[in-house]
Amino acid sequence: MRIVSGRVTHQYDGELVVFHIGMTFNRWWRPDLWMPVFFAMPAMMRELAEDPDSGLLGYELLFNRRGPFAVQYWSSIDKLYAYASAGSLSHRPAWTRFNAMARKHPDAVGVWHETFVVERAESMFVGTPAMGLPKATRTVPVEQRHHRARTRLADGATTLPASPDGRSHPTAEASGCPGQVSAAGCPSPEVRAARGVRPVQRR
C-alpha cells in the first residue's frame, strides 16, 4: 500500500455528483437472501470502471455495522441515471431481482442511496493512500495559499448541470460564474481567469 506523502487535495472543476449506495443486513442469519445483493455491487463497480465513458470518476467501498456501502464520484448526473435505467447493464436486472426477493421476504435486506449534485468541494488528505476525491479526479499538493479549508472551498467551485431548458443554473448566472454556484461566492477573479471563465454579460 503506497502512502501519498504530505498534504494533498483534489483539483477538479467539472460537473460533480457524489452518490452513496449501500445495503443493510437486517436478517444476518439469511445469507441466501443478502449474499446476492452483497455481490451485486462489486460487479457493477467493475463494469463501470472498465467503461471510460460511463461517467464514474472513482469510488470507495466501505463498511459499517449495518452493512457495506459505496461512495461514488460521477462526472454527470445524466450518466448516473442512464446507467441506473439501462436494461443491458448490471444495475437494472439486479434491482429487478432485489424487488422480487423483497416481495417474498419483506425487510430481510435493506438497500439505500443518496445523491448529491455538488456546487463546490474541498478536501484534505495527509499521509494516506490515494483515496477519495483526489484519487477520483486529480491529486495535487496543498499550496501555501490553500492551507485553510475555507480558502480551498472558495476555489473549489464545480460546474452544475444545465437546467431542463438548457440555461445555466440561475444562482450561477447571478454570481457571474457560468455553470458554477456557491453559497460563499465565486472563486477569485484570478482563479476564474486561469480556468478561462468569463464574467456573465448582462443584457
Side-chain angles (χ1 to χ4, degrees), residues 98-148:
F98 170 80
N99 284 326
M101 181 276 293
R103 284 192 292 270
K104 294 180 180 179
H105 306 279
D107 302 330
V109 181
V111 296
W112 60 272
H113 81 259
E114 301 173 335
T115 308
F116 307 89
V117 177
V118 181
E119 297 179 357
R120 59 181 54 245
E122 181 273 325
S123 65
M124 166 75 86
F125 292 78
V126 183
T128 70
M131 60 187 294
L133 193 51
K135 182 182 178 182
T137 57
R138 181 185 177 192
T139 302
V140 296
V142 175
E143 300 176 354
Q144 184 173 359
R145 69 187 183 91
H146 281 151
H147 277 188
R148 297 187 61 182

Side-chain angles (χ1 to χ4, degrees), residues 31-168:
D32 57 313
L33 300 180
W34 58 255
M35 283 186 70
V37 183
F38 179 82
F39 286 112
M41 180 56 67
M44 294 181 209
M45 294 295 94
R46 286 193 299 271
E47 178 177 65
L48 287 163
E50 291 171 358
D51 179 5
D53 296 323
S54 68
L56 182 70
L57 296 169
Y59 64 92
E60 298 288 338
L61 292 176
L62 305 170
F63 207 99
N64 63 23
R65 63 186 179 85
R66 296 183 179 90
F69 65 101
V71 177
Q72 301 177 3
Y73 304 96
W74 288 76
S75 66
S76 165
I77 188 67
D78 291 335
K79 288 187 175 183
L80 169 60
Y81 289 156
Y83 176 75
S85 60
S88 61
L89 300 175
S90 297
H91 175 267
R92 191 72 181 182
W95 181 239
T96 300
R97 291 193 299 270
F98 170 80
N99 284 326
M101 181 276 293
R103 284 192 292 270
K104 294 180 180 179
H105 306 279
D107 302 330
V109 181
V111 296
W112 60 272
H113 81 259
E114 301 173 335
T115 308
F116 307 89
V117 177
V118 181
E119 297 179 357
R120 59 181 54 245
E122 181 273 325
S123 65
M124 166 75 86
F125 292 78
V126 183
T128 70
M131 60 187 294
L133 193 51
K135 182 182 178 182
T137 57
R138 181 185 177 192
T139 302
V140 296
V142 175
E143 300 176 354
Q144 184 173 359
R145 69 187 183 91
H146 281 151
H147 277 188
R148 297 187 61 182
R150 186 180 295 275
T151 306
R152 293 193 300 274
L153 185 62
D155 287 346
T158 62
T159 302
L160 288 181
S163 61
D165 60 8
R167 295 182 300 176
S168 298

Side-chain angles (χ1 to χ4, degrees), residues 170-192:
T171 309
E173 293 184 352
S175 70
C177 298
Q180 298 177 342
V181 177
S182 167
C186 293
S188 67
E190 293 80 6
V191 171
R192 296 202 304 275

